[in-house]
Amino acid sequence: MEVIIQRDYQQMSRVAAQLVVDVLNTKPNAVLGMATGSTPLGLYQELVRLHQAGQVDFSRVTTFNLDEYVGLPANHPQSYHHFMDEHFFRQVNIPRHNINIPSGTTSNYPAFCQWYEGRIAECGGIDVQILGIGSDGHIAFNEPTSSLSSRTRLKTLSKQTIDDNARFFEHREDVPVYAITMGVGTILDARKLLLVASGKTKAKAVAQAVEGPVTSMVTASALQLHRDAIVIVDEEAAAGLTMREYYEFIYAAKPAAPRT
Ligand code: GLP
């Protein structure tokens, strides 16, 4: 696993966006795995900026989102469909039919999940999967105790996640209890993983994911099993890491590494 520590959120977002652009430069028809949550917003803003500056083209890109709340229609302001439209898809040139997001309103979840997995495979698999991390160490909506080989499925949200995400809803009771999410196994199948984390509320989860044991109690720790996983954090999110000097030494010695 590669750990990149940046001074602040903006710089973390820039470095992450550049890594996505690097993938698109070598493979213009890459399949991108998208994440929601507040953390990747800066990364998306930077990709939009680079697109508007003519430095990156998305016309051949296909995307797959990690997850969606069950029960929220695509036009619901808190749905991940709406989030992605608002913050990214509306501002870049990805063809509509190349955008895939789990449905929160299908009448047959098992069939839909199987279809979603099949569709990822049909498109050649995910080249780079963007990830955030929950304060309990989850990736997508793979809550503690999720199998590390799980596939796309319906998942019950933990109390911690409901509490964390309540800030986006009017009342805590409005937060959906279920979500449809790619599994940890689905995520590990991506060719490259890019996890971004910012702020002190993520410091413990980041330390557990990067330096703790691989455990289903912290599903982000499964990144340790991946051969090309990059974790980009800001100072606050890096606070619990014990091997910091080592990560910085490696990053400084890397010739092609983006510089601040
Ligand atoms: C939700 C999403 C995750 C995201 C997490 C953290 O649980 N399903 O994909 O990583 O929130 O979100 P934030 O970046 O807002 O802290």
Side-chain angles (χ1 to χ4, degrees), residues 15 24 67 117 135 137 144 154-155 218 234 252:
V15 171
L24 290 173
D67 45 13
E117 288 276 338
S135 60
L154 198 74
K155 193 71 201 164
V218 180
D234 66 7

Side-chain angles (χ1 to χ4, degrees), residues 1-2 19 23 127-129 187-188 190-195 223-231 254:
M1 184 182 313
E2 184 180 355
L19 285 165
V23 171
D127 289 297
V128 54
Q129 175 65 59
I187 293 167
L188 290 179
R191 284 182 271 280
K192 184 189 270 296
L193 302 180
L194 204 58
L195 185 145
L223 266 70
Q224 295 175 36
L225 302 170
H226 196 278
R227 68 180 70 180
D228 189 1
I230 305 177
V231 174
K254 218 176 150 190

